[in-house]
Amino acid sequence: MQKRALITGVTGQDGSYLSELLLEKGYDVHGTIRRSSVDFRERIAHLEDNPRFHLHYADLGDSMSLMKVIGKVRPHEIYNLAAQSHVQVSFDVPEFTADVDATGVLRILEAVRQCGLADSCRIYQASTSELYGKVESVPQNEETPFHPYSPYAVAKLYGYWIVREYREAYGMFCCSGILFNHESERRGETFVTRKITLAAARIAQGKQRKLLLGNLSSRRDWGYAKDYVECMWLMLQNDIPEDFVIATGEQYSVRDFCRLAFHYAGIELRFEGEGENERGIDTATGRVVVEVSPDFYRPTDVVNLLGDPSKAMRRLGWNPKRTTFPELVRIMVESDMAKVAAERAGEQVRVNLAEYLEKGILK
Ligand code: NAP
Ligand code: G4F
């Protein structure tokens, strides 16, 4: 039997990698998209010719659109990846973040029930290490207490608990992946890793003078998104619905990431000074290329995330070390070096919208 999967947030970093994985596994993949004034879906453009890849309009803030798409597709598996996923932005749009990241999860669960799929449809919820927030112990595992530390994390905490509630109340196969930061060459450009790799590539090629960052001492457990989407799938193939921490078990600071990214771009950095006066200096030229700007400080910042992936290794057979930290940074820098070089050569990197219109994908 051909399995049907529905992915919300298919245009995002994880949605694009998960779509590729499920298509490779023979699934019929359905993704939800939103109306936007810039219909530019770079991450999934290469999939849109695949006859097993289908797009539907739906929004996590609109229960009727969710009921409609779930009732039409009748998926065997739903991966709820859609979210307002930027922590700093959640301080600016807290109500929208709560509606999408908290109530949106409830809307999916209830739509599955109302469509009569509670016994047949398995649901993955994209939860997050941000739940640990102002961390109460290090490393963090499935038993570590939560202390959310941003409007984003508080909203995601509701998502986590409502999934547990539907599992216990209605016996639904729904579970949360507590994923630590995962990055890639497709990462949004305002997350710190991609901001750094893109800036390193631009600075190395003379297109930018300086990179402004916030808290350089913040520490993260960074993995490769392509490896992490496999775990989402494994969680839904498990015999029972359970929540899992997905992480590498290694931790680096923003400063470490910066140093390595610039190294792969051909610039050796030396950091000097402290706090707002800290600077990253190109050791070859003595030029300041990294500065701290309080604009990127958060009202409350999560600074010490380190995951313990033992349960996922043991129960799902997942390998957290497939892509190492230096490999991840190298992949991202190489991709951005090539993109910046292509831009400099005047190459068009945009997708041709006429193709979308012809296929009736855009309305
Ligand atoms: P991302 O690149 O920001 O993608 C988010 C996706 O959600 C996009 O497809 C976006 O659509 C969609 N979306 C946003 N608001 C929506 C709404 N109201 N209705 C429907 N779709 C909406 O995020 P990601 O990095 O792939 O992360 C995927 C999920 O994992 C998110 O839920 C995130 O919070 C969670 N997570 C991520 C990480 C990580 O390190 N990447 C770690 C833990 C948890 P548009 O393209 O139209 O904006
Ligand atoms: O890259 P970030 O914006 O990611 P953050 O806040 O950890 O959130 C990401 O990972 C979560 C999993 O833990 C996901 F749930 C969430 O959806 C998202 O994908 O920031 C990482 C750290 C922060 O401590 C931040 O203060 O880097 C610090 N940072 C320092 N300078 C910066 C900057 N972050 C950003 N975005 N931009 C800066 O200039």
mmCIF file of all heavy atoms in Angstrom, residues 95-119:
data_model
loop_
_atom_site.group_PDB
_atom_site.id
_atom_site.type_symbol
_atom_site.label_atom_id
_atom_site.label_comp_id
_atom_site.label_asym_id
_atom_site.label_seq_id
_atom_site.Cartn_x
_atom_site.Cartn_y
_atom_site.Cartn_z
ATOM 1 N N GLU A 95 1.585 37.036 20.056
ATOM 2 C CA GLU A 95 0.226 36.490 19.935
ATOM 3 C C GLU A 95 0.112 35.594 18.697
ATOM 4 O O GLU A 95 -0.445 34.495 18.752
ATOM 5 C CB GLU A 95 -0.769 37.648 19.866
ATOM 6 C CG GLU A 95 -2.212 37.206 19.937
ATOM 7 C CD GLU A 95 -3.172 38.385 19.850
ATOM 8 O OE1 GLU A 95 -2.752 39.542 20.087
ATOM 9 O OE2 GLU A 95 -4.347 38.133 19.527
ATOM 10 N N PHE A 96 0.691 36.069 17.587
ATOM 11 C CA PHE A 96 0.705 35.264 16.360
ATOM 12 C C PHE A 96 1.464 33.955 16.626
ATOM 13 O O PHE A 96 1.034 32.875 16.219
ATOM 14 C CB PHE A 96 1.373 36.061 15.227
ATOM 15 C CG PHE A 96 1.596 35.253 13.981
ATOM 16 C CD1 PHE A 96 0.547 34.949 13.126
ATOM 17 C CD2 PHE A 96 2.864 34.767 13.657
ATOM 18 C CE1 PHE A 96 0.750 34.183 11.978
ATOM 19 C CE2 PHE A 96 3.079 34.014 12.519
ATOM 20 C CZ PHE A 96 2.020 33.723 11.674
ATOM 21 N N THR A 97 2.586 34.071 17.332
ATOM 22 C CA THR A 97 3.393 32.879 17.617
ATOM 23 C C THR A 97 2.579 31.877 18.428
ATOM 24 O O THR A 97 2.608 30.673 18.158
ATOM 25 C CB THR A 97 4.685 33.279 18.370
ATOM 26 O OG1 THR A 97 5.379 34.255 17.583
ATOM 27 C CG2 THR A 97 5.595 32.086 18.610
ATOM 28 N N ALA A 98 1.832 32.373 19.409
ATOM 29 C CA ALA A 98 1.013 31.478 20.235
ATOM 30 C C ALA A 98 -0.082 30.828 19.384
ATOM 31 O O ALA A 98 -0.368 29.632 19.508
ATOM 32 C CB ALA A 98 0.388 32.252 21.393
ATOM 33 N N ASP A 99 -0.692 31.619 18.497
ATOM 34 C CA ASP A 99 -1.790 31.083 17.686
ATOM 35 C C ASP A 99 -1.297 29.944 16.790
ATOM 36 O O ASP A 99 -1.927 28.894 16.700
ATOM 37 C CB ASP A 99 -2.398 32.211 16.841
ATOM 38 C CG ASP A 99 -3.690 31.771 16.180
ATOM 39 O OD1 ASP A 99 -4.489 31.092 16.850
ATOM 40 O OD2 ASP A 99 -3.886 32.065 14.986
ATOM 41 N N VAL A 100 -0.136 30.155 16.162
ATOM 42 C CA VAL A 100 0.362 29.156 15.212
ATOM 43 C C VAL A 100 1.053 27.995 15.933
ATOM 44 O O VAL A 100 0.775 26.821 15.664
ATOM 45 C CB VAL A 100 1.339 29.816 14.203
ATOM 46 C CG1 VAL A 100 1.952 28.775 13.276
ATOM 47 C CG2 VAL A 100 0.618 30.891 13.400
ATOM 48 N N ASP A 101 1.937 28.326 16.891
ATOM 49 C CA ASP A 101 2.811 27.297 17.481
ATOM 50 C C ASP A 101 2.129 26.532 18.623
ATOM 51 O O ASP A 101 2.553 25.423 18.957
ATOM 52 C CB ASP A 101 4.119 27.937 18.002
ATOM 53 C CG ASP A 101 4.935 28.572 16.881
ATOM 54 O OD1 ASP A 101 4.415 28.697 15.765
ATOM 55 O OD2 ASP A 101 6.090 28.964 17.127
ATOM 56 N N ALA A 102 1.108 27.137 19.220
ATOM 57 C CA ALA A 102 0.390 26.444 20.306
ATOM 58 C C ALA A 102 -0.975 25.970 19.790
ATOM 59 O O ALA A 102 -1.184 24.774 19.559
ATOM 60 C CB ALA A 102 0.226 27.374 21.512
ATOM 61 N N THR A 103 -1.888 26.907 19.532
ATOM 62 C CA THR A 103 -3.251 26.516 19.118
ATOM 63 C C THR A 103 -3.225 25.765 17.783
ATOM 64 O O THR A 103 -4.059 24.881 17.561
ATOM 65 C CB THR A 103 -4.152 27.768 19.028
ATOM 66 O OG1 THR A 103 -3.891 28.582 20.173
ATOM 67 C CG2 THR A 103 -5.624 27.389 19.023
ATOM 68 N N GLY A 104 -2.270 26.090 16.938
ATOM 69 C CA GLY A 104 -2.156 25.396 15.648
ATOM 70 C C GLY A 104 -2.010 23.889 15.817
ATOM 71 O O GLY A 104 -2.550 23.103 15.026
ATOM 72 N N VAL A 105 -1.295 23.484 16.856
ATOM 73 C CA VAL A 105 -1.091 22.044 17.102
ATOM 74 C C VAL A 105 -2.434 21.404 17.477
ATOM 75 O O VAL A 105 -2.804 20.335 16.992
ATOM 76 C CB VAL A 105 -0.050 21.818 18.229
ATOM 77 C CG1 VAL A 105 0.249 20.335 18.384
ATOM 78 C CG2 VAL A 105 1.223 22.609 17.966
ATOM 79 N N LEU A 106 -3.167 22.102 18.340
ATOM 80 C CA LEU A 106 -4.494 21.618 18.734
ATOM 81 C C LEU A 106 -5.404 21.495 17.504
ATOM 82 O O LEU A 106 -6.142 20.515 17.361
ATOM 83 C CB LEU A 106 -5.100 22.608 19.749
ATOM 84 C CG LEU A 106 -6.556 22.377 20.134
ATOM 85 C CD1 LEU A 106 -6.710 21.077 20.905
ATOM 86 C CD2 LEU A 106 -7.075 23.551 20.970
ATOM 87 N N ARG A 107 -5.319 22.481 16.614
ATOM 88 C CA ARG A 107 -6.180 22.455 15.414
ATOM 89 C C ARG A 107 -5.896 21.204 14.581
ATOM 90 O O ARG A 107 -6.807 20.583 14.045
ATOM 91 C CB ARG A 107 -5.946 23.715 14.563
ATOM 92 C CG ARG A 107 -6.459 24.981 15.226
ATOM 93 C CD ARG A 107 -6.388 26.195 14.293
ATOM 94 N NE ARG A 107 -6.810 27.380 15.010
ATOM 95 C CZ ARG A 107 -5.987 28.369 15.413
ATOM 96 N NH1 ARG A 107 -4.711 28.336 15.114
ATOM 97 N NH2 ARG A 107 -6.470 29.394 16.088
ATOM 98 N N ILE A 108 -4.627 20.827 14.470
ATOM 99 C CA ILE A 108 -4.278 19.627 13.680
ATOM 100 C C ILE A 108 -4.856 18.384 14.371
ATOM 101 O O ILE A 108 -5.491 17.541 13.729
ATOM 102 C CB ILE A 108 -2.743 19.468 13.590
ATOM 103 C CG1 ILE A 108 -2.114 20.661 12.893
ATOM 104 C CG2 ILE A 108 -2.363 18.126 12.966
ATOM 105 C CD1 ILE A 108 -1.627 20.439 11.514
ATOM 106 N N LEU A 109 -4.610 18.265 15.669
ATOM 107 C CA LEU A 109 -5.054 17.072 16.400
ATOM 108 C C LEU A 109 -6.576 16.925 16.306
ATOM 109 O O LEU A 109 -7.107 15.833 16.055
ATOM 110 C CB LEU A 109 -4.639 17.170 17.876
ATOM 111 C CG LEU A 109 -3.129 17.124 18.160
ATOM 112 C CD1 LEU A 109 -2.822 17.644 19.554
ATOM 113 C CD2 LEU A 109 -2.596 15.695 17.988
ATOM 114 N N GLU A 110 -7.271 18.042 16.478
ATOM 115 C CA GLU A 110 -8.734 17.996 16.474
ATOM 116 C C GLU A 110 -9.240 17.714 15.055
ATOM 117 O O GLU A 110 -10.199 16.958 14.885
ATOM 118 C CB GLU A 110 -9.239 19.332 17.007
ATOM 119 C CG GLU A 110 -10.534 19.342 17.773
ATOM 120 C CD GLU A 110 -10.974 18.099 18.527
ATOM 121 O OE1 GLU A 110 -10.181 17.546 19.309
ATOM 122 O OE2 GLU A 110 -12.118 17.654 18.327
ATOM 123 N N ALA A 111 -8.568 18.252 14.053
ATOM 124 C CA ALA A 111 -8.987 17.994 12.666
ATOM 125 C C ALA A 111 -8.856 16.499 12.357
ATOM 126 O O ALA A 111 -9.726 15.914 11.708
ATOM 127 C CB ALA A 111 -8.149 18.818 11.693
ATOM 128 N N VAL A 112 -7.800 15.882 12.864
ATOM 129 C CA VAL A 112 -7.614 14.442 12.632
ATOM 130 C C VAL A 112 -8.773 13.670 13.266
ATOM 131 O O VAL A 112 -9.349 12.762 12.669
ATOM 132 C CB VAL A 112 -6.243 13.980 13.189
ATOM 133 C CG1 VAL A 112 -6.133 12.465 13.254
ATOM 134 C CG2 VAL A 112 -5.108 14.554 12.341
ATOM 135 N N ARG A 113 -9.146 14.073 14.483
ATOM 136 C CA ARG A 113 -10.273 13.399 15.164
ATOM 137 C C ARG A 113 -11.583 13.611 14.404
ATOM 138 O O ARG A 113 -12.340 12.686 14.155
ATOM 139 C CB ARG A 113 -10.418 13.949 16.582
ATOM 140 C CG ARG A 113 -9.749 13.066 17.613
ATOM 141 C CD ARG A 113 -9.739 13.661 18.999
ATOM 142 N NE ARG A 113 -10.851 14.477 19.405
ATOM 143 C CZ ARG A 113 -11.970 14.045 19.985
ATOM 144 N NH1 ARG A 113 -12.130 12.764 20.238
ATOM 145 N NH2 ARG A 113 -12.930 14.878 20.329
ATOM 146 N N GLN A 114 -11.817 14.874 14.022
ATOM 147 C CA GLN A 114 -13.092 15.200 13.359
ATOM 148 C C GLN A 114 -13.202 14.510 11.999
ATOM 149 O O GLN A 114 -14.295 14.215 11.546
ATOM 150 C CB GLN A 114 -13.249 16.714 13.168
ATOM 151 C CG GLN A 114 -13.285 17.511 14.468
ATOM 152 C CD GLN A 114 -14.399 17.086 15.410
ATOM 153 O OE1 GLN A 114 -15.475 16.686 14.972
ATOM 154 N NE2 GLN A 114 -14.142 17.125 16.709
ATOM 155 N N CYS A 115 -12.070 14.222 11.380
ATOM 156 C CA CYS A 115 -12.085 13.536 10.069
ATOM 157 C C CYS A 115 -12.151 12.017 10.247
ATOM 158 O O CYS A 115 -12.040 11.267 9.265
ATOM 159 C CB CYS A 115 -10.861 13.918 9.240
ATOM 160 S SG CYS A 115 -10.865 15.618 8.691
ATOM 161 N N GLY A 116 -12.262 11.548 11.470
ATOM 162 C CA GLY A 116 -12.382 10.105 11.723
ATOM 163 C C GLY A 116 -11.078 9.353 11.514
ATOM 164 O O GLY A 116 -11.083 8.154 11.200
ATOM 165 N N LEU A 117 -9.946 10.034 11.704
ATOM 166 C CA LEU A 117 -8.650 9.392 11.431
ATOM 167 C C LEU A 117 -7.852 9.115 12.712
ATOM 168 O O LEU A 117 -6.670 8.755 12.644
ATOM 169 C CB LEU A 117 -7.816 10.272 10.497
ATOM 170 C CG LEU A 117 -8.436 10.571 9.123
ATOM 171 C CD1 LEU A 117 -7.613 11.608 8.370
ATOM 172 C CD2 LEU A 117 -8.542 9.286 8.303
ATOM 173 N N ALA A 118 -8.514 9.299 13.872
ATOM 174 C CA ALA A 118 -7.777 9.193 15.147
ATOM 175 C C ALA A 118 -7.087 7.842 15.314
ATOM 176 O O ALA A 118 -6.029 7.757 15.938
ATOM 177 C CB ALA A 118 -8.728 9.446 16.311
ATOM 178 N N ASP A 119 -7.665 6.790 14.744
ATOM 179 C CA ASP A 119 -7.070 5.455 14.929
ATOM 180 C C ASP A 119 -6.066 5.082 13.850
ATOM 181 O O ASP A 119 -5.332 4.111 13.991
ATOM 182 C CB ASP A 119 -8.182 4.379 14.931
ATOM 183 C CG ASP A 119 -9.096 4.568 16.112
ATOM 184 O OD1 ASP A 119 -8.638 5.132 17.126
ATOM 185 O OD2 ASP A 119 -10.279 4.184 16.017
#
